[in-house]
Amino acid sequence: MSQQLTVPPFAVVPGAQVQSALQGREKEIVELVEATYRLHGAGDSVNPPSYFLRFPDRPSSRIIALPASIGGQLRVDGVKWISSFPENVAAGIPRASAVLILNDHDTGYPFACMEASVISATRTAASAAAGADWLSRGRPRPTRIGFFGVGLIARYIHTYLAATGWSFDEIGVHDLSSDSAAGFTGYLEQSGTGARLTVHDSAEELIRSSDLVVFATVAGKPHVTDPSWFDHAPLVLHVSLRDLAPEILLRSVNVVDDVEHCLKADTSPHLVEQLTGNRDFLLGTLDDVMSGRVTVPSDQPVVFSPFGLGVLDLAVGKSVYDELARTGELHVVDDFFTELRRYG
């Protein structure tokens, strides 16, 4: 007898609901991201390469598809469709916009379309917070943090660090836009931080004065080239992936979220592979660190370069969906699927 399957109801989840469902759950979301990394490391996932849609007439812009499937208790498939249009910032609107489609594990039917710029920023920040925690173990915990590039992602990363127990004596800020630097500094002041805030005019000044450096720029190619700026062995969250010249990575301990994904699309680690012809410069993945398979040295710069995996978007998105379903707040579109009888 064939298994009885039913078509799931289809829900649309706007950004306000996503934010509401994630509010105050930062520690839980970091734990979810860490658990998802473990599932991925154990092979209980499918995470194909991201697909980049680029435009000859708009070379700075792109739209990326991140298909994925995750097992464990989540058991969900789906795809994030996220655009990055840097020119939006000058017009006063966010650079990135996104939707996430969740598909039912058993039938394949989509059961949710969710606003996903918040989900994407959340999983990025949670991944960065997890990396900061695990990669700082065994060395003095950083007390001076520097943010290089201070848009929405930097704000989310600071929020997640603060919510998971990090506090800093000094917070440095550097951005090519003085308006962005001023806006981020205003956010920090409103956040209630007791840290001393400094806006640095130069990248070198920011990096040399920080034990923990967060790169969250829109750079398309390396622009930080001097390895001596990192002689004090900081921990670097290289979230934007293309800021650091190969010479810097070759003098650092390098950890990624997924080797195959990170060594693509001309990321800084990919440039190192092209330059050297090998992957010997990589220590391993964050899952390797969490599981104890590798040990992070305490006397060298450590660079965490997370490409950003679709399985993380699925995990966070499914968590949002489940929370809204639990509270009865899902906006279901009745009869979204109409052709449900094979012969009419």
Side-chain angles (χ1 to χ4, degrees):
M1 182 176 179
S2 63
Q3 181 182 1
Q4 292 297 313
L5 299 175
T6 59
V7 175
F10 185 81
V12 175
V13 183
Q17 282 195 312
V18 173
Q19 286 184 318
S20 176
L22 291 170
Q23 189 71 34
R25 297 173 59 204
E26 290 87 358
K27 290 182 180 179
E28 179 186 342
I29 297 301
V30 172
E31 291 172 358
L32 173 63
V33 163
E34 291 178 354
T36 304
Y37 275 139
R38 294 182 190 278
L39 280 173
H40 181 65
D44 197 2
S45 67
V46 182
N47 206 113
S50 302
Y51 297 89
F52 287 73
L53 177 62
R54 299 186 183 276
F55 315 98
D57 61 328
R58 294 157 287 167
S60 68
S61 300
R62 62 185 186 268
I63 308 179
I64 312 171
L66 286 79
S69 174
I70 188 71
Q73 295 182 341
L74 293 170
R75 282 170 45 93
V76 66
D77 314 321
V79 61
K80 181 176 72 173
W81 181 240
I82 182 166
S83 66
S84 174
F85 278 54
E87 302 303 319
N88 287 356
V89 176
I93 60 176
R95 169 187 62 86
S97 58
V99 294
L100 176 68
I101 302 295
L102 299 181
N103 291 76
D104 179 62
H105 178 275
D106 295 324
T107 67
Y109 270 80
F111 63 87
C113 177
M114 318 178 73
E115 197 284 330
S117 67
V118 172
I119 289 170
S120 188
T122 295
R123 63 85 152 148
T124 300
S127 170
D133 177 26
W134 284 94
L135 298 175
S136 64
R137 300 183 183 189
R139 62 166 59 202
R141 194 169 174 92
T143 60
R144 305 176 302 162
I145 188 172
F147 288 91
F148 195 142
V150 289
L152 180 141
I153 296 298
R155 171 163 64 86
Y156 268 72
I157 290 174
H158 175 265
T159 297
Y160 264 72
L161 288 172
T164 52
W166 288 81
S167 62
F168 301 98
D169 298 330
E170 301 176 24
I171 299 179
V173 175
H174 177 70
D175 198 285
L176 297 180
S177 165
S178 58
D179 289 342
S180 295
F184 188 68
T185 303
Y187 151 74
L188 291 171
E189 292 171 344
Q190 294 172 10
S191 73
T193 180
R196 180 163 62 90
L197 306 180
T198 304
V199 176
H200 294 282
D201 294 329
S202 74
E204 179 180 2
E205 189 178 77
L206 175 88
I207 293 168
R208 288 188 182 276
S209 63
S210 302
D211 309 312
L212 175 60
V213 184
V214 178
F215 283 93
T217 75
V218 293
K221 59 183 180 180
H223 54 95
V224 176
T225 59
D226 190 340
S228 71
W229 295 1
F230 301 83
D231 283 347
H232 58 300
L235 170 58
V236 179
L237 303 179
H238 189 207
V239 175
S240 38
L241 288 173
R242 296 173 178 84
D243 303 275
L244 303 179
E247 292 76 14
I248 293 171
L249 268 62
L250 285 169
R251 289 178 54 177
S252 303
V253 175
N254 292 280
V255 177
V256 297
D257 56 355
D258 181 281
V259 174
E260 295 300 329
H261 283 78
C262 199
L263 271 63
K264 284 186 172 66
D266 289 334
T267 63
S268 293
H270 188 205
L271 295 181
V272 176
E273 182 188 36
Q274 294 176 56
L275 178 67
T276 63
N278 62 63
R279 299 176 174 183
D280 296 344
F281 66 97
L282 294 178
L283 177 68
T285 67
L286 185 59
D287 179 55
D288 290 329
V289 175
M290 292 191 298
S291 66
R293 288 189 292 270
V294 300
T295 301
V296 180
S298 61
D299 58 349
Q300 296 175 255
V302 176
V303 179
F304 179 43
S305 299
F307 192 82
L309 302 178
V311 289
L312 301 183
D313 296 292
L314 289 185
V316 175
K318 184 60 162 51
S319 175
V320 169
Y321 178 91
D322 289 343
E323 176 64 16
L324 295 174
R326 183 186 68 81
T327 58
E329 299 177 69
L330 285 174
H331 296 308
V332 173
V333 181
D334 293 328
D335 301 322
F336 185 82
F337 299 104
T338 57
E339 284 285 359
L340 297 178
R341 300 179 66 175
R342 190 172 186 184
Y343 298 110

